[in-house]
């Protein structure tokens, strides 16, 4: 429709990924409403958007129902780092389960297309490597990380059932380790941890022997995938997954480049030669996955997408963000 402005809702929109998604959608001419309870999000991430007449920010907890008329709903609300989700595990699983139910109810009533951010944590400590979408995972259901892992797994189940039972147009992405500007400096994630420690000349803490591996995706690549996925016609999405024999539209999005944690620490120090930090080892946390790497075959086929930004390119940009943040404080 000529002259129509698309209306988008982002839950968790004051967070690391949500704030940058909001900025993109506004630049593309959309009306954007962000809701966030600011448990891990920050108003500082969206201050520059506040004067935009097409932007609305509301403090709201997604565990409570929310009403509005939207074309697209992006459900990003949930603490995503162990420090934050283990601080309040009950609230974490409520955010995953009740949050997605409230957003799916909204999508059902308003005929909105809904996007849900799941996580590579649904695979747990995987026995299959790299991890494809059809792998069911190896997850401890009652461990200290389970509030997040199982909450996200349950959210996928709810999305699948709203699709099958009510026909809601839902798309899901399992996000693998993502980094970049606007990360919380004290969220306990490995990239932000190492950079902040190095900038402050504190010892860089490696848990275990540092040989556990991760795949690091720069945030711009993730945002590209999200927007490509949401732009696809529903019929094309349904046909693709039907032909693949996959019941629901879920895809991995991550960078298949695999690095050990020790390699990451050494890369950070190489980029900060003035740092006096040294690498030290501490005990490995319980249920910490030993290997993590996405199989992105489906994303390549469905979206024509693959990550463009190498770790060697994204790390310097992230370091500069944290350098300015720490200097400003």
């Amino acid at each position: 429709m000529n002259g129509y402005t698309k209306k988008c809702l982002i839950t968790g929109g004051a967070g690391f990924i949500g704030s940058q998604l909001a900025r993109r959608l506004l630049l593309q001419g959309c009306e954007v409403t962000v809701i966030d309870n600011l448990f891990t999000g920050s108003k500082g991430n969206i201050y520059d958007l506040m004067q935009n007449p097409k932007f609305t920010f509301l403090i709201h907890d997604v565990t409570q129902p929310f009403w509005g008329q939207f074309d697209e709903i992006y459900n990003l609300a949930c603490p995503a780092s162990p420090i934050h989700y283990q601080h309040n595990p009950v609230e974490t699983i409520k955010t995953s389960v009740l949050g997605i139910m409230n957003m799916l109810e909204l999508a059902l009533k308003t005929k909105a297309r809904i996007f849900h951010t799941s996580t590579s944590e649904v695979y747990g400590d995987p026995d299959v490597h790299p991890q494809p979408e059809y792998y069911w995972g190896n997850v401890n259901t009652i461990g200290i990380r389970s509030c997040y892992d199982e909450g996200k797994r349950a959210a996928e189940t709810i999305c699948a059932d709203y699709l099958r039972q009510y026909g809601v147009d839902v798309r899901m992405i399992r996000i693998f380790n993502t980094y970049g500007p606007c990360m919380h400096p004290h969220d306990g994630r490995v990239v932000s941890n190492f950079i902040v420690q190095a900038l402050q000349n504190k010892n860089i803490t490696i848990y275990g022997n540092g040989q556990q591996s991760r795949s690091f995706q720069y945030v711009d690549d993730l945002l590209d995938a999200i927007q490509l996925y949401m732009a696809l016609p529903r019929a094309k999405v349904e046909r693709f997954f039907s032909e693949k024999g996959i019941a629901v539209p879920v895809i991995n999005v991550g960078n298949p480049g695999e690095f050990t944690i020790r390699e990451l620490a050494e890369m950070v120090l190489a980029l900060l030669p003035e740092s006096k930090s040294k690498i030290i080892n501490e005990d490995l946390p319980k249920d910490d996955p030993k290997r993590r790497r996405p199989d992105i075959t489906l994303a390549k086929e469905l979206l024509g997408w693959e990550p463009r930004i190498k770790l060697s390119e994204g790390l310097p940009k992230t370091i500069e963000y944290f350098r300015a943040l720490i200097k400003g404080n």
Side-chain angles (χ1 to χ4, degrees):
M1 187 186 300
N2 289 336
Y4 180 75
T5 301
K6 186 165 62 177
K7 296 174 175 62
C8 303
L9 173 67
I10 305 175
T11 74
F16 160 45
I17 296 168
S19 61
Q20 298 189 65
L21 175 61
R23 195 167 287 107
R24 273 200 182 197
L25 291 170
L26 287 166
L27 287 171
Q28 293 161 7
C30 302
E31 289 183 13
V32 176
T33 298
V34 158
I35 60 176
D36 202 302
N37 67 358
L38 300 180
F39 176 57
T40 59
S42 167
K43 281 187 178 179
N45 288 337
I46 53 173
Y47 272 143
D48 62 313
L49 308 180
M50 293 293 195
Q51 301 305 313
N52 191 319
K54 291 186 176 181
F55 179 76
T56 302
F57 170 63
L58 299 169
I59 296 179
H60 181 83
D61 193 315
V62 292
T63 62
Q64 302 300 317
F66 184 79
W67 175 253
Q69 191 69 46
F70 303 99
D71 301 297
E72 295 179 350
I73 299 168
Y74 296 82
N75 185 49
L76 280 72
C78 190
S81 72
I83 285 178
H84 289 142
Y85 63 67
Q86 290 173 15
H87 174 71
N88 195 335
V90 172
E91 198 61 31
T92 295
I93 199 165
K94 284 171 64 179
T95 299
S96 285
V97 174
L98 297 180
I100 190 57
M101 288 193 74
N102 286 328
M103 290 304 109
L104 285 164
E105 281 293 316
L106 180 59
L108 175 63
K109 291 171 183 173
T110 62
K111 308 299 183 186
R113 178 171 292 171
I114 182 168
F115 169 83
H116 174 64
T117 52
S118 189
T119 172
S120 60
E121 296 295 332
V122 301
Y123 297 120
D125 189 6
D127 296 320
V128 173
H129 192 78
Q131 293 81 57
E133 289 83 354
Y134 61 79
Y135 175 53
W136 291 354
N138 175 36
V139 178
N140 179 356
T141 63
I142 54 173
I144 59 172
R145 299 170 65 105
S146 303
C147 59
Y148 183 68
D149 302 359
E150 290 298 286
K152 287 291 190 177
R153 284 163 69 95
E156 285 195 12
T157 300
I158 297 165
C159 285
D161 288 337
Y162 266 78
L163 168 63
R164 285 187 286 245
Q165 187 168 341
Y166 300 119
V168 174
D169 184 359
V170 60
R171 290 115 196 262
M172 292 183 281
I173 280 178
R174 291 172 180 161
I175 300 174
F176 283 67
N177 289 62
T178 301
Y179 70 99
C182 296
M183 293 182 80
H184 194 294
H186 305 297
D187 69 359
R189 292 191 237 198
V190 65
V191 172
S192 52
N193 259 10
F194 287 179
I195 293 173
V196 171
Q197 287 169 341
L199 286 169
Q200 295 178 337
N201 295 310
K202 296 178 180 178
N203 288 331
I204 290 183
T205 307
I206 287 181
Y207 297 103
N209 61 11
Q211 293 308 302
Q212 62 271 40
S213 72
R214 296 291 184 271
S215 298
F216 300 103
Q217 169 178 240
Y218 192 68
V219 63
D220 286 359
D221 284 330
L222 169 61
L223 295 174
D224 288 345
I226 291 173
Q227 294 205 279
L228 286 168
Y229 199 9
M230 284 295 275
L232 289 180
R234 181 171 185 172
K236 180 175 181 178
V237 173
E238 290 177 344
R239 184 169 59 252
F240 178 84
F241 285 96
S242 175
E243 290 172 355
K244 296 295 180 184
I246 300 173
V248 293
V250 60
I251 56 174
N252 292 331
V253 172
N255 193 320
E258 189 175 2
F259 297 85
T260 68
I261 299 301
R262 181 168 290 278
E263 284 175 326
L264 175 67
E266 291 169 349
M267 286 180 72
V268 169
L269 287 178
L271 290 166
L272 289 165
E274 73 277 14
S275 176
K276 297 179 175 59
S277 300
K278 298 186 185 309
I279 296 174
I280 63 170
N281 295 78
E282 293 189 4
D283 292 339
L284 193 67
K286 189 171 177 55
D287 296 331
D288 191 57
K290 291 181 283 295
R291 299 188 76 186
R292 187 63 61 70
R293 177 186 166 204
D295 181 329
I296 60 169
T297 302
L298 293 186
K300 285 181 179 179
E301 293 181 13
L302 177 62
L303 307 179
W305 171 93
E306 58 184 313
R308 298 174 292 106
I309 301 171
K310 298 177 181 178
L311 185 59
S312 58
E313 300 170 58
L315 268 183
K317 298 178 183 180
T318 310
I319 287 171
E320 289 313 304
Y321 167 77
F322 279 114
R323 192 194 302 276
L325 186 69
I326 291 170
K327 187 176 180 180
N329 290 336

